C-alpha cells in the first residue's frame, strides 16, 4: 500500500483539530503519545497504522497523523453515534457541513435531538445528532442525564451555542475530510475494542507486529458509567436507578480486567495505554502489575504473540473533569510495549518505580 506523506494543511499543527469535545479529554496527552511513537521510530521505523479502538474525539490520532508521526490512522468506537459521526465527517464531509449550518442552535433543537432514538436515524442524521449534542451539552456528554450548556433556563453566563462556532467547526470537518481523501484516515469502524484489535490483525497482517500501534484510552476506571453510553459494552445504555448503577459499575469493572488480560496475553502488535492514574492498575496482577506480556505458548506459536516488556510512566496533565467546572492537575498513567530502550524516563515521563 502506498505510504502517504505528512499532511500539508493549516490545521495539521493546530492546537484544536477535532470537531468533537469529549468527556475527560486531557490537555497535552497527545504530545506524550507522540513522543513515545517518535522515539520508537529509531528502532521500528515510522508506524504505518495507528489504531484508536476508543476513538471518541480522536484528538491523539489527528495529532499524530497531522505531525507525520504515523502514516495513517484507523478510528473505531462502539458507540454508533460516534462511529457515524467519524464515518460521515470523513466520507461525506460537505453534506455534514451543510446539515450543520442548517441546524438552529437552540434549546428546542437540543430537546429534539435528545428525544430522537439513534437506532431510527440514518447515518447522516446520527452524525448530526452526535455533533449537535456534543457541542451543546455539558462537558460534551452525548447520553444520559447531562443537560444543555447554560441549563434549561438559559440564564447562566454561558448559553447553549457558546461551543458551536460553525465556521471553526466547518474548518475542522474539512480537515478530517482532507485526511480521508489523502489516505491518512484508513477507515472508521463501529466496533468495540475487542473486535477492533482482532480485526486489525486479520486485515493488516503485513504490518504485524511492529508497523501497527494501538493507542487505547479507555473510559475512566471509576466514572465511565456516568460519562459514556457505550464504552466496553456495545449494548450501551445508562443506568436508570441506583441499583442499576451498581450493576453497571460491576460490569464496567470486569471490562477493565478483560481489556488488561487481552493486552497482557494476546495482543499481536504494539500498544500504548493511557488511564487516569489509580494505584490498583499497577498493583493488581489481573490488571497491569506484570512487567511484561505473558502470552500462552500456543498463542506464541500459532499467532506470533510476543512477550514484550511493559514500560510504565506517569505524566502530569491539566484537564477539565466532568462536574468540576475548572481545570486542575491530574496524574495520568501511560503503559506501552514499544521498545523499552526508546521509552523516555525523565521529569516529564516519570518511571513508575526506580527499577526502570
Amino acid at each position: 500500500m502506498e505510504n502517504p506523506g505528512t499532511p500539508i494543511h493549516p490545521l495539521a499543527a493546530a492546537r484544536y483539530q477535532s470537531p468533537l469535545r469529549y468527556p475527560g479529554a486531557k490537555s497535552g496527552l497527545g504530545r506524550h503519545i507522540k513522543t513515545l511513537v517518535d522515539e520508537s521510530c529509531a528502532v521500528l521505523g515510522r508506524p504505518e497504522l495507528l489504531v484508536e479502538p476508543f476513538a471518541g474525539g480522536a484528538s491523539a490520532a489527528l495529532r499524530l497523523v497531522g505531525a507525520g508521526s504515523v502514516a495513517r490512522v484507523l478510528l473505531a468506537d462502539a458507540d454508533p453515534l460516534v462511529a457515524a459521526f467519524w464515518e460521515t465527517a470523513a466520507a461525506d464531509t460537505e453534506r455534514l457541513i451543510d446539515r450543520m449550518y442548517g441546524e438552529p442552535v437552540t434549546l428546542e433543537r437540543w430537546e429534539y435531538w435528545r428525544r430522537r432514538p439513534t437506532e431510527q436515524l440514518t447515518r447522516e442524521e446520527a452524525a448530526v445528532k452526535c455533533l449537535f449534542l456534543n457541542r451543546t451539552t455539558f462537558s460534551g456528554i452525548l447520553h444520559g442525564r447531562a443537560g444543555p450548556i447554560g441549563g434549561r433556563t438559559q440564564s447562566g453566563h454561558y448559553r447553549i451555542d457558546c461551543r458551536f462556532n460553525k465556521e471553526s467547526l466547518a474548518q475542522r470537518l474539512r480537515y478530517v475530510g482532507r485526511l480521508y481523501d489523502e489516505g491518512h484516515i484508513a477507515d472508521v469502524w463501529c466496533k468495540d475494542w475487542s473486535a477492533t484489535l482482532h480485526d486489525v490483525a486479520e486485515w493488516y497482517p503485513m504490518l504485524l507486529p511492529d508497523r501497527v500501534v494501538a493507542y487505547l484510552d479507555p473510559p475512566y476506571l471509576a466514572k465511565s458509567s456516568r460519562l459514556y453510553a457505550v464504552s466496553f459494552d456495545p449494548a450501551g445504555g445508562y443506568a436508570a436507578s441506583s441499583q442499576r448503577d451498581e450493576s453497571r459499575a460491576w460490569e464496567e469493572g470486569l471490562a477493565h480486567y478483560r481489556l488488561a488480560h487481552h493486552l497482557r496475553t494476546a495482543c499481536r502488535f504494539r500498544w500504548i495505554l493511557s488511564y487516569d492514574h489509580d494505584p490498583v492498575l499497577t498493583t493488581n496482577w489481573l490488571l497491569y502489575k506484570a512487567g511484561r506480556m505473558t502470552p500462552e505458548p500456543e498463542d506464541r506459536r500459532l499467532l506470533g504473540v510476543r512477550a514484550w516488556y511493559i514500560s510504565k510512566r506517569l505524566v502530569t496533565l491539566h484537564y477539565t473533569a466532568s462536574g468540576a467546572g475548572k481545570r486542575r492537575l491530574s496524574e495520568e498513567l501511560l503503559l506501552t510495549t514499544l521498545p523499552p530502550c526508546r521509552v523516555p524516563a525523565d521529569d516529564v515521563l516519570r518511571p513508575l518505580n526506580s527499577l526502570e
Side-chain angles (χ1 to χ4, degrees):
M1 83 182 77
E2 184 179 352
N3 190 338
T6 301
I8 300 175
H9 191 279
L11 289 183
R15 181 179 181 184
Y16 299 110
Q17 298 172 321
S18 176
L20 296 183
R21 306 161 62 228
Y22 222 67
K26 296 114 181 172
S27 174
L29 186 59
R31 72 175 183 269
H32 300 301
I33 305 303
K34 181 179 182 299
T35 296
L36 294 177
V37 172
D38 288 347
E39 288 292 326
S40 73
C41 289
V43 177
L44 305 177
R46 183 173 77 149
E48 291 283 343
L49 185 69
L50 176 79
V51 182
E52 266 211 80
F54 300 95
S59 57
L62 295 179
R63 179 74 55 198
L64 267 69
V65 79
S69 297
V70 298
R72 52 177 60 85
V73 295
L74 189 153
L75 307 179
D77 204 290
D79 189 332
L81 275 183
V82 177
F85 169 79
W86 286 113
E87 287 179 294
T88 309
D92 294 299
T93 312
E94 292 303 323
R95 287 182 60 85
L96 181 55
I97 291 173
D98 288 344
R99 288 292 301 268
M100 176 195 69
Y101 272 114
E103 286 291 316
V105 187
T106 63
L107 184 61
E108 290 74 22
R109 199 62 177 168
W110 186 89
E111 296 282 6
Y112 167 83
W113 283 117
R114 201 62 146 180
R115 291 193 302 267
R116 291 290 303 277
T118 300
E119 61 273 12
Q120 296 178 11
L121 302 178
T122 66
R123 188 190 74 178
E124 183 179 305
E125 289 171 333
V128 175
K129 176 178 178 177
C130 178
L131 179 62
F132 188 93
L133 292 181
N134 176 264
R135 303 301 306 189
T136 59
T137 304
F138 177 74
S139 290
I141 299 171
L142 294 174
H143 309 272
R145 297 181 290 271
I149 297 174
R152 285 180 168 80
T153 63
Q154 291 294 288
S155 58
H157 181 69
Y158 296 102
R159 302 301 173 88
I160 194 168
D161 61 351
C162 68
R163 305 291 187 191
F164 213 114
N165 184 320
K166 293 184 178 181
E167 287 72 24
S168 175
L169 290 175
Q171 292 176 2
R172 298 185 208 180
L173 288 168
R174 289 194 174 100
Y175 177 55
V176 172
R178 176 82 168 269
L179 291 175
Y180 180 74
D181 290 342
E182 294 180 352
H184 294 290
I185 295 178
D187 209 346
V188 178
W189 293 349
C190 184
K191 299 179 182 182
D192 70 355
W193 67 266
S194 179
T196 297
L197 296 181
H198 175 272
D199 290 353
V200 164
E202 296 298 313
W203 279 69
Y204 298 94
M206 74 294 291
L207 301 182
L208 303 182
D210 292 328
R211 303 308 296 277
V212 55
V213 177
Y215 168 56
L216 304 100
D217 185 32
Y220 286 117
L221 193 63
K223 297 181 180 178
S224 60
S225 64
R226 299 207 305 271
L227 299 178
Y228 309 95
V230 179
S231 51
F232 293 101
D233 177 11
Y238 272 75
S241 67
S242 58
Q243 181 178 2
R244 182 68 185 277
D245 281 339
E246 294 176 2
S247 174
R248 181 167 175 81
W250 184 77
E251 287 291 336
E252 288 286 354
L254 286 183
H256 288 281
Y257 285 93
R258 295 187 190 106
L259 174 63
H261 182 264
H262 179 87
L263 293 180
R264 286 187 294 102
T265 66
C267 195
R268 297 168 62 185
F269 42 87
R270 308 275 186 167
W271 49 265
I272 302 169
L273 176 71
S274 61
Y275 260 112
D276 53 312
H277 181 47
D278 186 320
V280 73
L281 289 164
T282 51
T283 57
N284 188 326
W285 286 105
L286 296 179
L287 291 170
Y288 301 100
K289 184 175 182 178
R292 67 187 303 157
M293 289 179 62
T294 54
E296 296 292 333
E298 193 71 357
D299 287 339
R300 296 184 68 169
R301 184 177 69 85
L302 293 178
L303 301 177
V305 179
R306 308 295 182 89
W308 287 309
Y309 285 100
I310 302 174
S311 299
K312 304 167 188 177
R313 299 289 186 268
L314 285 176
V315 298
T316 301
L317 300 177
H318 293 81
Y319 82 106
T320 303
S322 175
K326 60 178 70 175
R327 297 174 68 81
R328 64 180 179 85
L329 291 176
S330 177
E331 293 294 293
E332 187 79 4
L333 177 67
L334 290 176
L335 304 100
T336 183
T337 54
L338 290 170
C341 64
R342 302 302 304 181
V343 178
D346 51 33
D347 291 340
V348 177
L349 287 160
R350 308 189 305 279
L352 196 63
N353 56 57
S354 59
L355 299 180
E356 291 192 72

